[in-house]
Amino acid sequence: MAIDEKVREAFRIQEFYCGHMDAPMYARLCGAVAAGLTRASRTGARVLDWPGEPTRDALPLRLCGGLHALVRGRRDAGLAAIFAGEITAPDGIAAALNAALVRHDDALYPWLDGPPQTNEPGRSGALMLGLMEIARRHGPRIELLEIGSSAGLNLLIDRYAFDLGGVKLGPVDSPVTIRPEWRGEPPAPVEMTIASVRGCDIQPLDATDPAVEARLLAYVWPETPARAERLTRAIAMQRARGVDLVRADAAEWLEARLAEPQEPGVTRVLMHSVVWQYLPEDSANRVRAAMAAAGARATAERPLGWVMMEPDRAFAHQVVQVKSWPGHDEWAVLGTAHAHGTWVRNGIFEEDRRGFALPESAKVEAG
């Protein structure tokens, strides 16, 4: 497959995901890029000649983030009309898009330099489903280690309030309440105390920097203004009290944390969300090996858990699964979730596997 056709297919894959994630405008935009992007701008040419794997590199979301930043800054009327739903025909979107790329080439080009950092607090609701299961298995006290923390907004998980199908957790006076649409049975209540939360990222962002806040908001899909409001409140929480977030390779950092002494009666838990697809294979293998080795050492007094929310093409959305040591060293799927935490389904149902027609060429996840 030629490079530009591979890139266009990546935008068609993203169009599919956006369509199934209640983002019709972004779906139309990605479809128009797939059909009509030209090399009239340096940015357009760089996209079409992308040297890497465009879906794994989240190339469509890199471009969409830059376009949204222009709209948020009220810098282009043509783009604003697309985002407002005033231009919906594919040819019209493509024409307005290509013109905007020429006008704002210098501003858009750098948005392709790095992957999107969609640091979504709503994902904490799905992760909490897994943490509750760990608490049921091993006791209420949990020490959290997160890899791929981005700007650290899910490191606030111990400070958020949660309403999970009517089951309440967390501080009642929190400025942020995570309240996803709950599908399936509510989770069984369980006592849980998060003793500590630490995280790492290969390129962490300081969310308290106004420029970084603006960048994070650009990656929030425009169809979901409530997400932007929640993100702003979460960043204000970080400004009031920071989080333990360091720059580090995920595998190297985790290996060091797992080698530290563990307090008795506390379950050490690795968690991550929409991170695994971006890890180099060597790093992913090191994480697996480190967790297996630490799991072999785990005891009833010092247990180990692993909670993840990661995409699965068979479901076309995220799967929440856990394993823990001792005694539960096989993955258990607890449910599924929207990639941004809009909804969480407790349990797997036949309808989760129906109604999706992912393009055959989609070899990796996108979202």
Side-chain angles (χ1 to χ4, degrees):
M1 184 183 292
I3 291 176
D4 66 342
E5 181 52 35
K6 190 175 183 180
V7 168
R8 294 183 194 278
E9 183 65 5
F11 278 89
R12 285 191 284 269
I13 293 168
Q14 191 62 52
E15 177 188 13
F16 165 85
Y17 275 100
C18 289
H20 283 283
M21 291 168 63
D22 303 317
M25 188 281 293
Y26 259 16
R28 289 193 299 268
L29 178 61
C30 289
V33 172
L37 182 65
T38 72
R39 290 183 170 81
S41 61
R42 288 190 308 129
T43 301
R46 184 180 179 187
V47 168
L48 292 173
D49 295 328
W50 193 253
E53 211 300 320
T55 299
R56 183 174 293 279
D57 293 342
L59 179 61
L61 297 180
R62 297 186 192 205
L63 180 61
C64 287
L67 298 172
H68 192 197
L70 289 177
V71 173
R72 288 183 58 84
R74 301 185 179 184
R75 296 181 59 187
D76 193 281
L79 284 179
I82 295 173
F83 276 60
E86 297 167 3
I87 302 176
T88 58
D91 289 349
I93 294 175
L97 170 71
N98 284 309
L101 263 59
V102 170
R103 285 192 295 271
H104 304 285
D105 215 355
D106 290 343
L108 287 169
Y109 196 84
W111 282 84
L112 304 180
D113 290 343
Q117 300 216 353
T118 307
N119 197 192
E120 174 49 60
R123 290 172 178 162
S124 286
L127 291 169
M128 189 59 77
L129 179 64
L131 294 176
M132 293 174 74
E133 175 62 19
I134 295 294
R136 286 188 200 96
R137 294 177 179 181
H138 301 290
R141 299 186 65 207
I142 288 176
E143 169 199 350
L144 278 180
L145 305 172
E146 185 187 41
I147 58 173
S149 296
S150 186
L153 297 182
N154 285 305
L155 295 177
L156 295 164
I157 193 168
D158 61 330
R159 301 185 227 168
Y160 293 148
F162 291 88
D163 182 343
L164 307 180
V167 175
K168 308 290 182 66
L169 300 94
V172 296
D173 59 348
S174 175
V176 171
T177 297
I178 307 297
R179 188 183 290 108
E181 175 192 337
W182 198 262
R183 302 178 181 180
E185 293 294 322
V190 63
E191 181 184 354
M192 184 173 63
T193 300
I194 298 177
S196 65
V197 189
R198 292 179 287 173
C200 76
D201 196 274
I202 196 69
Q203 290 183 311
L205 297 177
D206 177 6
T208 64
D209 181 334
V212 172
E213 180 176 10
R215 184 175 182 86
L216 289 171
L217 286 166
Y219 286 126
V220 173
W221 294 5
E223 290 98 334
T224 54
R227 286 180 57 210
E229 295 171 9
R230 182 172 57 199
L231 185 141
T232 299
R233 291 197 301 272
I235 291 173
M237 291 174 67
Q238 270 205 25
R239 290 195 174 105
R241 177 159 62 95
V243 294
D244 189 343
L245 172 61
V246 298
R247 180 185 300 272
D249 170 78
E252 183 177 324
W253 182 82
L254 180 65
E255 290 164 350
R257 301 292 76 74
L258 293 175
E260 294 173 349
Q262 182 175 345
E263 185 180 347
V266 175
T267 306
R268 179 171 283 168
V269 179
L270 168 65
M271 75 173 188
H272 51 87
S273 56
V274 200
V275 167
W276 200 254
Q277 70 202 61
Y278 301 118
L279 288 181
E281 189 61 27
D282 177 64
S283 292
N285 287 335
R286 285 176 62 186
V287 169
R288 292 187 188 100
M291 289 298 287
R297 300 191 301 268
T299 65
E301 191 176 32
R302 292 178 173 83
L304 178 70
W306 191 347
V307 174
M308 68 166 68
M309 170 193 152
E310 296 290 349
D312 186 318
R313 285 199 301 123
F315 295 92
H317 40 237
Q318 313 297 307
V319 173
V320 181
Q321 52 187 330
V322 303
K323 65 165 60 176
S324 62
W325 299 261
H328 305 272
D329 60 354
E330 297 292 332
W331 285 112
V333 174
L334 302 182
T336 54
H338 184 281
H340 304 141
T342 303
W343 56 262
V344 177
R345 185 193 292 276
N346 185 15
I348 297 294
F349 296 83
E350 183 58 30
E351 56 263 36
D352 286 320
R353 295 184 180 273
R354 293 202 303 261
F356 300 109
L358 188 66
E360 288 297 323
S361 58
K363 303 300 184 184
V364 296
E365 320 307 336

